Structure formats: structure tokens, C-alpha cells
């Protein structure tokens, strides 16, 4: 069975280290999600009730969605296309069965609520955009709208009211604003596929809310107070402006500023054009890796202020392409492939996070990457 999976990609190289890293990474991409049903097809749902799967179908758990929507699930659409409908339908079942609503980080049939955003919507939207059949997208759509338009969930009330999340009212407010903007973009793409033009236009506009935290004077996404003032004192190398809580999720402003993966043209406009975007990316990679104040344990694999050991940075090297400097993407990605992975037990720059760290290697080694998975690009 493993030989069948590994043979989907044939690597020809005299460098055994590269081959070992590649196939180890490929193995890691297939460890999760995990089966979560009995041999008779029964499983305990997130409503704590026992449910029955149709014969031959399976239920799953262990969806590290904050991480895996970025590269692992896009990889599945290429290398495991026959499994995509089952995994997406599982997320849809969870959305209906779970008291917590849209899946965030399901583990062992329970919603851990671990991490920010609700990126199950990105995985579902990507499948819809790529035309996967056998998935009831209409069924999940009301659950998605409930989260986006009604739930008072982790700052979403402020997000709808102020068009950003205030840092004096909600922890990790800057990152949440960015992540909800991306989830709005995902909803827009699903709405487009389903022919819901009004919703598409509404959520495209909402996907631009992250710009309300853009501070032109500093050139960063910056936390903002409820009264509209900027939170301070501001240091882009710090995780927060106060000791009460962080403004960014496992990141500082250098990493989080690039989180709106759906709008690289918007970034270029904010920064003053493509050349300015290249300059800002160069500054990210080429400065000191010294972090001021608290250092989250997840902020690892530092190259300048780029943190390869944690997922918010994973698309950033590819933004040079959008800035008109593809050779810089090529050079940087090759460097990360060589320096951030090794054929040793500690061969990853950070937490594997259910295959995402390895999925980045697999896709990047093959020569492409989805900066914005729900676009289909």
C-alpha cells in the first residue's frame, strides 16, 4: 500500500539525502487526518451521539486546519483526489453535528478550538473551486453563513461592526482580523461556484477588511484600539503592544503582515508598487533574527524575520512571484529546502502539524505552491 502511494512521485537524483527527505516528507503527509469509526461504520460524533456511516465509507478526525489548509489539502487535491470528497464531507458532517459549529481543529471527535480562524471553510471552498463532485456544498453553506454573519465567535462581532478586531477587546486581534478576511475570501469563492452572486460580492468586500489594520506610517499590519487609535508602543518584532495578551498568533508583525494570502496585488498597492514589495520582502529575509520581548516557542526556523518553523510564513517566499521577481522566489525556496530540512530525527524546523511542514517540502520540491489555495491557482 505504501509503495503504491510513494510511486505517485518518482524522484531521480544521485543525492540520497534529498531522496530520503522527500519520501519521508511524503509519508508524513499521509499520517493525518485519521480514521475515526469502528469496523461496523459507527462513530461517535461531535454531538456525542452515535452515528452510522454507509457501508464502505469512513469518518475521520485530526484535522489541523489552521496549518493544513495551506499546503497539505492542496496536495491532496493532486495526489489523493479520490479521498478529497470523503474528507470534505466529514468536515461538513462535523459542521452540522458539532455544538461549536464550523470545524476549527477537530481531534478524536471533539472540537479543540485550538488556533484562530475557521479554516475548514478554506478546505471546502478549494474543493468546490476545483470541481470535486460528491460533496454537498449547499448543505454546509448555511453553517458557514451562521459563523460569518451571526456567531459571536472570538471577535467576529467586532469584525462585523468595526471591520477589524480591536486589540483592547480581543486577544490576537490583528491575526484574527487577517484570518477572518481570508475566510471571507473563501466564502466568496464558494458562493461564486454556487451561483450566489450577492453573497460573492459581499464577501469579496469583507475580504478587504484586513486593510483597516494597515498602518502606512510603519508599513505593517498593526493592532488597533476600539476607538480607532493605533495600539502602542509598536515594535514589529514584538508579539504584542501590552503584557495582557498577544496581538498576533504565534507571530509578530513582520510575519503576520503578509497573512492576507488572497490579495498580493493589494499588498503591492499598499506598499507603493511591485518594487517596494520586493524591497519589503528583502528586508524580511535579510535582517537580524533577534526578537524583542516574548518569543513564542513556535517562532522557529528563522531566516531574518521569516519563520519557516511555523505556518503563517509558508507562502511568503512565493510572493516575490507576484512582485515581479520570480528569480528571488526560486533562490529563496531552494535555500529553504536545503537549510530547513534534514535527513535526521530532528529534521524539521518546527512542529510537523499533521503534515503541513512536510507538505511544504513536497510541493516546493516539485516546483509549485498555492499561495491562495481557494483560488485554484
Amino acid at each position: 500500500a505504501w509503495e503504491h502511494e510513494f510511486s505517485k512521485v518518482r524522484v531521480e537524483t544521485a543525492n540520497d539525502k534529498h531522496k530520503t527527505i522527500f519520501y519521508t516528507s511524503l509519508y508524513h503527509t499521509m499520517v493525518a487526518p485519521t480514521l475515526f469509526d469502528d469496523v461496523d461504520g459507527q462513530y461517535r460524533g461531535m454531538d456525542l451521539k452515535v452515528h452510522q456511516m454507509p457501508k464502505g465509507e469512513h469518518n475521520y478526525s485530526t484535522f489541523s486546519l489552521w496549518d493544513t489548509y495551506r499546503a497539505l489539502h492542496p496536495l491532496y487535491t493532486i495526489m489523493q483526489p479520490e479521498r478529497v470528497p470523503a474528507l470534505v464531507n466529514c468536515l461538513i458532517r462535523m459542521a452540522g453535528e458539532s455544538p461549536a459549529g464550523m470545524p476549527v481543529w477537530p481531534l478524536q471527535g471533539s472540537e479543540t478550538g485550538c488556533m484562530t480562524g475557521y479554516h475548514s471553510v478554506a478546505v471546502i471552498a478549494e474543493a468546490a473551486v476545483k470541481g470535486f463532485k460528491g460533496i454537498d456544498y449547499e448543505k454546509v453553506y448555511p453553517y458557514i453563513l451562521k459563523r460569518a454573519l451571526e456567531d459571536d465567535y472570538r471577535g467576529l462581532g467586532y469584525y462585523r461592526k468595526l471591520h477589524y478586531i480591536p486589540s483592547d477587546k480581543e486577544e490576537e486581534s490583528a491575526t484574527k482580523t487577517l484570518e477572518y478576511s481570508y475566510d471571507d475570501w473563501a466564502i466568496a469563492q464558494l458562493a461564486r461556484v454556487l451561483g450566489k452572486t450577492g453573497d460573492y460580492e459581499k464577501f469579496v468586500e469583507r475580504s478587504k477588511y484586513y486593510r483597516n489594520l494597515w498602518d502606512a506610517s510603519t508599513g505593517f499590519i498593526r493592532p488597533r484600539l476600539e476607538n480607532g487609535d493605533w495600539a502602542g508602543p509598536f515594535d514589529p518584532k514584538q508579539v504584542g503592544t501590552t503584557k495582557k495578551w498577544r496581538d498576533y498568533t504565534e507571530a509578530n508583525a513582520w510575519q503576520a503582515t503578509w497573512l492576507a494570502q488572497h490579495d498580493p496585488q493589494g499588498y503591492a498597492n499598499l506598499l507603493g508598487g511591485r518594487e517596494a514589495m520586493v524591497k519589503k520582502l528583502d528586508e524580511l529575509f535579510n535582517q537580524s533574527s533577534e526578537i524583542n520581548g516574548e518569543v513564542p516557542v513556535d517562532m522557529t526556523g528563522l531566516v531574518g524575520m521569516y519563520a519557516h518553523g511555523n505556518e503563517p510564513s509558508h507562502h511568503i517566499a512565493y510572493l516575490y512571484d507576484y512582485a515581479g521577481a520570480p528569480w528571488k522566489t526560486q533562490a529563496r525556496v531552494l535555500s529553504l529546502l536545503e537549510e530547513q530540512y534534514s535527513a535526521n530525527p530532528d529534521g524539521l524546523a518546527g512542529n510537523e502539524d499533521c503534515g503541513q511542514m512536510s507538505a511544504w517540502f513536497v510541493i516546493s520540491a516539485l516546483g509549485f505552491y498555492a499561495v491562495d489555495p481557494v483560488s485554484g491557482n
Side-chain angles (χ1 to χ4, degrees), residues 287-302:
Q287 66 180 282
S288 161
S289 294
E290 184 179 352
I291 296 173
N292 300 331
E294 180 193 359
V295 182
V297 295
D298 307 273
M299 206 183 291
T300 57
L302 287 169

Side-chain angles (χ1 to χ4, degrees), residues 139-372:
K139 179 180 179 180
V140 76
Y141 197 70
Y143 302 134
I144 293 173
L145 290 188
K146 181 177 182 300
R147 173 54 50 88
L149 301 177
E150 299 176 22
D151 290 352
D152 188 15
Y153 176 82
R154 294 186 174 182
L156 267 175
Y158 289 113
Y159 179 82
R160 290 190 290 266
K161 177 183 176 183
L162 301 175
H163 300 178
Y164 68 92
I165 300 176
S167 65
D168 50 341
K169 298 296 182 181
E170 181 78 18
E171 63 181 347
E172 302 181 356
S173 60
T175 291
K176 287 175 179 175
T177 299
L178 287 152
E179 294 192 342
Y180 292 151
S181 296
Y182 187 73
D183 287 336
D184 282 341
W185 176 253
I187 296 169
Q189 304 319 305
L190 179 58
R192 177 175 57 81
V193 171
L194 296 178
K196 303 178 189 296
T197 306
D199 283 352
Y200 168 75
E201 294 173 352
K202 175 169 64 180
F203 282 105
V204 165
E205 284 305 306
R206 280 189 24 159
S207 76
K208 301 172 185 176
Y209 284 0
Y210 80 92
R211 299 180 188 180
N212 294 320
L213 294 186
W214 175 259
D215 177 16
S217 68
T218 61
F220 289 97
I221 292 291
R222 180 175 174 181
R224 198 169 205 155
L225 304 176
E226 186 180 19
N227 66 7
D229 293 342
W230 296 114
F234 176 70
D235 179 348
K237 287 194 172 186
Q238 289 189 333
V239 298
T241 53
T242 70
K243 293 183 178 179
K244 184 178 181 181
W245 50 43
R246 300 173 182 172
D247 296 317
Y248 307 94
T249 302
E250 299 179 358
N252 60 29
W254 270 109
Q255 295 123 32
T257 287
W258 306 98
L259 262 176
Q261 298 154 246
H262 56 293
D263 195 18
Q265 182 63 59
Y267 277 127
N269 295 342
L270 291 172
L271 287 163
R274 283 184 164 191
E275 290 185 10
M277 190 172 174
V278 170
K279 182 180 178 182
K280 187 78 170 183
L281 288 166
D282 285 346
E283 289 177 12
L284 169 73
F285 285 105
N286 295 327
Q287 66 180 282
S288 161
S289 294
E290 184 179 352
I291 296 173
N292 300 331
E294 180 193 359
V295 182
V297 295
D298 307 273
M299 206 183 291
T300 57
L302 287 169
V303 182
M305 274 293 108
Y306 170 93
H308 192 75
N310 209 17
E311 283 70 19
S313 289
H314 275 187
H315 65 288
I316 296 177
Y318 288 93
L319 291 176
Y320 280 116
D321 279 332
Y322 294 88
W327 60 91
K328 285 181 174 281
T329 284
Q330 293 162 2
R332 182 58 62 190
V333 169
L334 181 59
S335 173
L336 294 170
L337 286 166
E338 290 278 5
E339 296 175 8
Q340 298 294 323
Y341 298 82
S342 71
N344 297 307
D346 63 346
L348 297 174
N351 191 334
E352 174 65 277
D353 287 319
C354 297
Q356 168 61 26
M357 202 66 62
S358 289
W360 188 95
F361 185 94
V362 170
I363 292 183
S364 295
L366 293 174
F368 51 94
Y369 190 85
V371 168
D372 170 21

Side-chain angles (χ1 to χ4, degrees), residues 36-38 41-52 59-60 97 108-110:
F36 196 71
D37 59 79
D38 293 330
Q42 290 190 346
Y43 71 95
R44 189 173 298 279
M46 295 170 77
D47 54 4
L48 301 182
K49 297 178 182 178
V50 175
H51 300 270
Q52 179 71 51
N59 186 58
Y60 299 89
E97 293 170 5
Q108 297 297 86
S110 299

